Amino acid sequence: MRDSSPLPPRAGVLSRRAALGLAAAVPLAAASPAAATPSATPSTARTTAGTAARTATIGGDLLGLGGIQVRGASGLPKRLTARSWLVADHVSGEVLASYNAHRLLAPASTLKMLFADTVLKKFERTERHRVTDADLAGIPAGSSLVGVKPGITYTVEQLWLGVFLRSGNDAVHVLSHMNGGVGTTVAQMQARADDLQALDTHVVSPDGFDHKGQVSSAYDLTLFARHGLADADFRAYCSTRTADFPAGGKKTFQIQNTDRLLTGAWGVPTYDGLIGVKNGYTSNAGNTFTGAATRGGRTLLVTVMHPKSGGSGVYEETAALLDWGFRQGANARPVGTLVAPLSEGGARATPAGKAPKAAAGAPARAETSSSSWGLVGGAGGAVALLAGGAVAWRRRRRAGTAGGAPAPDPRASGPGASDLGTSDPGDSDRGTSGPGDSGARRRR
């Protein structure tokens, strides 16, 4: 059934890299007024600040701050409900605006972008593989499926079309077994994320399906998309609207891309200039989407995670942010950057120093701002948060999550999450099993 637990509020836990931005904001807090929003709960504030001494914020200190970050441009969409989003220039890597860029959230099938970044170049498009029962073992119940069947031979290209168009977890598992197994693929994906400096991401499964401890962020998903789009095959797959998929013998059936901005399904207008890239949905993660579009010679990337509205809300908010980027992006001064992979000469983030000690009697209260700084409410308060959270972070680390990953926001993957949920009734991301599908609604 669908996870009935409520989605957590938008003001919440940030990643271990993002929290250093709180420390960076301390010297500015006394000099720059901030338009306060409701403060974080003490437990949230401690969790956020307690990570500050670990690593510098990837992409720039402003991206480590909660709330909206934008400079030099106005007119952001007023009715955004996503818990995290980011707008970036594909070519320069400049982040034009963001909201909770490093917040840890369940990624759903947008994690398949990292799967493609990791495995896509391992096999030639024309390579053929006869699927066995073992290739399809272990696919989570309720997964979206493209309709891969044992005993049928598929080309690698057909399997990737199943991944990108229908978000088929069956196609993901076949490719993972061709790559040495699911465990090997997960380890390689984690290593690839580390190379891309997507340090908010902890991989548990190659398909993005709900698993305890599996998290990413708007920043990391945008990194995956930017890197993937540099590859011609990745770009071709994610922009394909329909394809014929083998059904056995000489028979085929048509599969359609579930990206509504690309296809115009469910009444969503197609977005002029859209390239792709990947959408996702589970009952735990809600809707996630990373899209890329080109207009006037400029390509923008937008990631939207977990908007409140169901159905087409994630596409509507993505389109609104793309519109803003194309209208106002030239005026925006960057608030951060999408870093280069370490393997391509990217500079590794340097560890931060120890968190300063708390000022006596300082209030432990975090406030965000709609200004470009999103400052902490008072220098003393920020310092207190940084010191007080270190113990909480270490305790959470000892408690641990799968694979020794940093503990995610418990409200993003809480005990109410179910791997057996059905798709949002208004969501077109339901997988199919090809001819003979029982009609059970699928999810990714």
Side-chain angles (χ1 to χ4, degrees):
M1 61 178 66
R2 276 179 63 90
D3 174 16
S4 60
S5 60
L7 290 177
R10 285 177 291 157
V13 178
L14 300 180
S15 73
R16 54 194 170 100
R17 279 140 306 281
L20 185 74
L22 294 172
V26 169
L28 298 167
S32 301
T37 59
S39 62
T41 62
S43 61
T44 298
R46 284 195 300 272
T47 303
T48 301
T51 65
R54 311 302 274 187
T55 313
T57 303
I58 301 295
D61 288 343
L62 291 181
L63 299 183
L65 305 180
I68 294 173
Q69 308 303 323
V70 62
R71 300 194 299 171
S74 60
L76 278 169
K78 295 180 180 180
R79 297 183 179 179
L80 298 174
T81 65
R83 295 162 63 198
S84 179
W85 54 260
L86 185 143
V87 183
D89 184 282
H90 175 259
V91 175
S92 69
E94 292 178 345
V95 178
L96 307 180
S98 70
Y99 176 75
N100 296 340
H102 283 289
R103 184 174 183 178
L104 302 181
L105 294 167
S109 281
T110 47
L111 193 65
K112 288 182 171 77
M113 293 187 293
L114 176 60
F115 174 70
D117 286 345
T118 306
V119 180
L120 188 60
K121 305 310 292 184
K122 299 283 187 75
F123 309 104
E124 294 293 331
R125 294 166 63 108
T126 56
E127 184 173 337
R128 299 171 66 82
H129 178 77
R130 184 178 177 85
V131 173
T132 66
D133 289 325
D135 292 335
L136 300 174
I139 298 173
S143 290
S144 58
L145 305 173
V146 65
V148 175
K149 303 295 182 183
I152 297 178
T153 298
Y154 301 86
T155 65
V156 165
E157 178 178 10
Q158 289 166 339
L159 292 171
W160 279 115
L161 287 169
V163 171
F164 277 91
L165 274 64
R166 296 305 304 173
S167 205
N169 287 3
D170 45 0
V172 169
H173 277 250
V174 172
L175 287 164
S176 295
H177 280 281
M178 292 174 63
N179 188 49
V182 169
T184 296
T185 301
V186 166
Q188 290 177 359
M189 288 172 65
Q190 190 64 66
R192 190 59 178 143
D194 293 344
D195 176 63
L196 294 171
Q197 305 202 64
L199 302 184
D200 299 327
T201 298
H202 176 55
V203 183
V204 180
S205 69
D207 49 40
F209 200 81
D210 290 344
H211 290 278
K212 184 178 180 181
Q214 183 154 270
V215 291
S216 191
S217 68
Y219 183 86
D220 285 10
L221 294 178
T222 311
L223 284 179
F224 302 152
R226 187 187 187 211
H227 181 269
L229 289 171
D231 180 87
D233 287 341
F234 184 108
R235 194 178 183 107
Y237 290 139
C238 76
S239 62
T240 299
R241 289 174 170 81
T242 63
D244 292 328
F245 199 78
K250 296 182 178 180
K251 296 181 180 180
T252 63
F253 60 96
Q254 188 181 80
I255 56 175
Q256 302 83 31
N257 200 312
T258 57
D259 178 351
R260 300 181 194 180
L261 287 182
L262 187 67
T263 65
W266 293 80
V268 176
T270 56
Y271 193 85
D272 184 29
L274 193 82
I275 300 169
V277 183
K278 190 70 189 78
N279 51 344
Y281 173 82
T282 68
S283 58
N284 177 54
N287 289 284
T288 61
F289 182 56
T290 297
T294 299
R295 287 185 182 178
R298 187 177 198 183
T299 299
L300 297 180
L301 297 164
V302 168
T303 294
V304 172
M305 301 187 75
H306 304 210
K308 287 183 178 179
S309 53
S312 296
V314 72
Y315 303 103
E316 294 165 358
E317 296 192 16
T318 298
L321 286 167
L322 283 169
D323 284 345
W324 175 85
F326 287 121
R327 287 196 311 262
Q328 300 290 338
N331 300 322
R333 288 179 290 146
V335 296
T337 187
L338 301 176
V339 295
L342 297 175
S343 59
E344 298 176 15
R348 187 183 299 274
T350 56
K354 293 182 179 179
K357 293 182 178 180
R365 203 171 83 124
E367 295 179 345
T368 58
S369 167
S370 59
S371 72
S372 63
W373 295 106
L375 296 173
V376 173
V383 173
L385 290 176
L386 292 171
V391 173
W393 190 90
R394 285 194 293 270
R395 287 174 179 168
R396 286 166 60 109
R397 287 287 290 182
R398 282 197 294 269
T401 58
D409 180 348
R411 296 166 299 178
S413 53
S418 168
D419 284 352
L420 301 178
T422 56
S423 170
D424 183 336
D427 196 315
S428 67
D429 302 342
R430 296 176 295 211
T432 62
S433 300
D437 182 29
S438 65
R441 288 181 296 185
R442 305 290 181 180
R443 68 173 190 170
R444 297 174 304 119

